Amino acid sequence: QGGMYVIVLSPSVYYDFLISGAEPQITIEADTSDFLNTVKFTGSKENEILYNYRKYLADKTKEAMEIQQVLRTSTEPTVLEENKRKMKAMQEEVNAFIKNTGKTHEGTFAGKIIKINMEPELPTEVPLLPSGKKDSTFMYRTYKNKFFENVDFSDERMLRTPFIQNKVDKYFKDLVYQVTDSITIDADRVLRLAQKHKDVYRFVLWMLSNKYENINIIGLDGVFVHLAENHYLKNADWLDASQKAKFQERVDILKPIITGKVMPLLILQDTLGRDVNLMDIKSKYTLVYFYRYDCGHCQDHAPDLMKFYEENKEKGFAIYHAGTHETGDMKEELEKTKGFIKKYKTDKLINVLDLKLRYDFRKRYDVYKTPTIFLLDSEKRILAKSIPLEDVKGFVDFHERRLAANK
């Protein structure tokens, strides 16, 4: 299959080369002590193009380093000016060479590899706004719009190179504002480009869903739901029925508890059997703290939880301390929950459990491990979920600063 492959001589010594997929045979000869300058390819025009390009860049890099050395060490104004002109002329020459090489060998695999590593051309002038000021975001917007213009998403050989992954990673890291709405718009844009080839689309979709399902930035859970609903469940014909059913199940679980939504109805019972509706709790912030009485982490963190409560109760925090059932024997569950409350002195919290067995906590609230924490505002909207206890205060401080800035 066509792609970029690597000859590995040792963990620190390796050389890459191209296979277009059309060569019946390739011969590579080289002195491994100076691979770049001695390598000879037989039966592969692609590698001749690529390595001639690399040799040129290596020579120009050497020349540039010599000029930089003069610029660092010389104090003569005329010498400095002359070498600045040399550096500028060389940069223009190199840029022209790269552009010309990509154009000359357009349609070859090597040409596509060269092109994908080229930066998009940008205007030299920034337009003025109606106010007469320069448009400060013009270059950013233009660069972002042109970012993928040198990428051939229709060529599945690119999947066996690092370049599509690198480009997509860079785009979402450097050019996409990390909020759900912005990410989903840009994800759809990139996936439309990737749909030029089914396997490329599949890979880019996997990249994005994997990135945003496992990301540690709070509030981006809606990205995975969007990708699952609008791509996996609509376009992923490579999935069988059982795989699609798993995606649908995850969407059904996650969609009602996306950050920003009101927490779904939760009415548990206190140790006297009385209903305690989460929505009835009047507080600026509520921590819904799902735990198990026999969970080692929950036991270890109980003193930290109580310390957090004592330090923050005057700031408007309530803690809905929700025990998840294990056995289905609610008499046993109640007694063991009471034992936990007594042993770890959590009696000042709102201690509740599901005595009426109404809830499947995994399917309703995505509680696959304990403790699991939801942070809610005064309207019981989800501000954060699966947030570590030690991060709650810092997140709330950030949230309040952001609210104040938006007023």
Side-chain angles (χ1 to χ4, degrees):
Q1 290 182 306
M4 178 173 277
Y5 292 82
V6 179
I7 301 170
V8 180
L9 301 181
S10 74
S12 60
V13 181
Y14 48 87
Y15 309 101
D16 57 19
F17 64 99
L18 299 181
I19 292 179
S20 72
E23 306 92 343
Q25 183 175 323
I26 297 175
T27 303
I28 306 173
E29 298 177 68
D31 180 345
T32 56
S33 65
D34 187 11
F35 187 88
L36 179 62
N37 291 308
T38 63
V39 67
K40 292 180 182 179
F41 293 92
T42 304
S44 177
K45 185 68 175 175
E46 301 281 3
N47 285 291
E48 289 178 22
I49 296 168
L50 181 63
Y51 273 85
N52 286 338
Y53 166 80
R54 287 179 172 178
K55 287 173 187 177
Y56 173 85
L57 292 186
D59 290 342
K60 291 301 175 183
T61 299
K62 186 177 178 181
E63 289 180 34
M65 290 174 66
E66 291 171 357
I67 295 173
Q68 289 285 7
Q69 179 65 18
V70 174
L71 291 173
R72 281 195 300 268
T73 58
S74 177
T75 57
E76 291 291 329
T78 55
V79 174
L80 291 172
E81 191 60 33
E82 179 187 357
N83 278 274
K84 285 179 182 177
R85 283 197 299 270
K86 281 184 180 180
M87 182 63 77
K88 183 179 179 182
M90 184 190 301
Q91 289 170 339
E92 291 173 352
E93 178 192 333
V94 169
N95 289 337
F97 172 81
I98 294 172
K99 184 178 178 181
N100 183 61
T101 302
K103 188 173 182 180
T104 301
H105 300 291
E106 192 168 2
T108 67
F109 189 34
K112 293 178 181 183
I113 295 293
I114 291 167
K115 195 172 180 182
I116 199 173
N117 285 287
M118 292 168 53
E119 287 290 335
E121 285 191 68
L122 298 176
T124 56
E125 296 292 329
V126 176
L128 299 179
L129 297 169
S131 64
K133 294 181 179 180
K134 287 187 175 182
D135 185 345
S136 61
T137 65
F138 172 76
M139 284 299 186
Y140 159 76
R141 297 196 316 271
T142 304
Y143 181 69
K144 184 177 179 182
N145 288 337
K146 292 166 71 71
F147 187 79
F148 291 108
E149 69 178 9
N150 292 324
V151 180
D152 186 354
F153 283 100
S154 69
D155 193 335
E156 56 86 29
R157 293 175 297 182
M158 285 294 178
L159 295 179
R160 289 175 289 281
T161 77
F163 303 120
I164 281 186
Q165 181 169 353
N166 290 348
K167 290 289 282 190
V168 173
D169 277 340
K170 179 177 172 62
Y171 183 79
F172 282 91
K173 180 174 180 255
D174 296 344
L175 299 177
V176 178
Y177 188 45
Q178 294 299 296
V179 296
T180 297
D181 288 347
S182 295
I183 295 166
T184 54
I185 289 169
D186 280 297
D188 287 344
R189 178 203 172 197
V190 174
L191 286 165
R192 280 194 298 273
L193 294 172
Q195 280 182 316
K196 293 173 183 176
H197 193 286
K198 176 180 172 180
D199 289 343
V200 177
Y201 173 72
R202 179 177 178 175
F203 174 74
V204 175
L205 178 56
W206 170 82
M207 269 187 68
L208 295 177
S209 57
N210 186 61
K211 175 182 177 70
Y212 287 105
E213 186 179 20
N214 299 302
I215 199 164
N216 59 2
I217 299 175
I218 292 169
L220 299 185
D221 45 320
V223 177
F224 175 78
V225 172
H226 174 87
L227 293 174
E229 274 196 309
N230 293 279
H231 294 277
Y232 279 109
L233 293 175
K234 288 184 177 180
N235 302 327
D237 58 7
W238 59 88
L239 298 178
D240 62 28
S242 65
Q243 290 170 320
K244 281 197 172 184
K246 288 179 181 177
F247 273 101
Q248 186 64 62
E249 182 182 22
R250 288 301 290 157
V251 169
D252 292 343
I253 292 171
L254 295 175
K255 193 171 183 179
I257 55 171
I258 289 174
T259 304
K261 288 193 173 185
V262 173
M263 185 78 166
L265 182 68
L266 183 58
I267 304 174
L268 301 180
Q269 292 73 48
D270 64 16
T271 55
L272 297 177
R274 298 172 299 193
D275 283 350
V276 183
N277 189 335
L278 175 64
M279 296 299 294
D280 292 338
I281 298 170
K282 307 302 179 186
S283 60
K284 188 175 182 181
Y285 298 106
T286 304
L287 279 188
V288 180
Y289 191 95
F290 291 103
Y291 79 102
R292 291 198 333 256
Y293 54 76
D294 60 348
C295 158
H297 290 299
C298 304
Q299 294 166 359
D300 292 342
H301 292 157
D304 297 327
L305 181 64
M306 293 313 300
K307 182 182 178 184
F308 174 89
Y309 175 72
E310 294 296 342
E311 291 176 349
N312 293 281
K313 61 184 178 182
E314 300 303 324
K315 299 173 186 176
F317 274 86
I319 298 180
Y320 193 79
H321 197 220
T324 60
H325 45 71
E326 288 296 303
T327 65
D329 181 344
M330 298 319 295
K331 183 176 180 181
E332 178 185 353
E333 296 284 329
L334 177 60
E335 291 308 310
K336 290 189 175 181
T337 298
K338 287 180 179 179
F340 185 98
I341 294 168
K342 182 177 180 180
K343 181 175 180 179
Y344 295 102
K345 300 179 174 62
T346 67
D347 50 293
K348 294 180 181 179
L349 308 181
I350 302 168
N351 290 288
V352 288
L353 68 163
D354 186 18
L355 288 174
K356 298 180 180 179
L357 291 175
R358 290 172 172 166
Y359 299 99
D360 181 331
F361 292 107
R362 289 189 176 188
K363 290 185 177 180
R364 287 289 291 273
Y365 306 103
D366 199 34
V367 179
Y368 280 84
K369 60 182 178 63
T370 51
T372 291
I373 300 175
F374 284 72
L375 173 63
L376 315 179
D377 68 8
S378 59
E379 304 299 319
K380 302 302 179 282
R381 285 187 295 264
I382 300 169
L383 297 178
K385 63 185 185 183
S386 297
I387 182 173
L389 182 64
E390 60 268 23
D391 292 344
V392 171
K393 187 177 183 304
F395 178 82
V396 168
D397 290 344
F398 166 76
H399 172 70
E400 292 189 343
R401 288 196 301 271
R402 187 171 58 180
L403 289 179
N406 291 335
K407 284 184 179 178

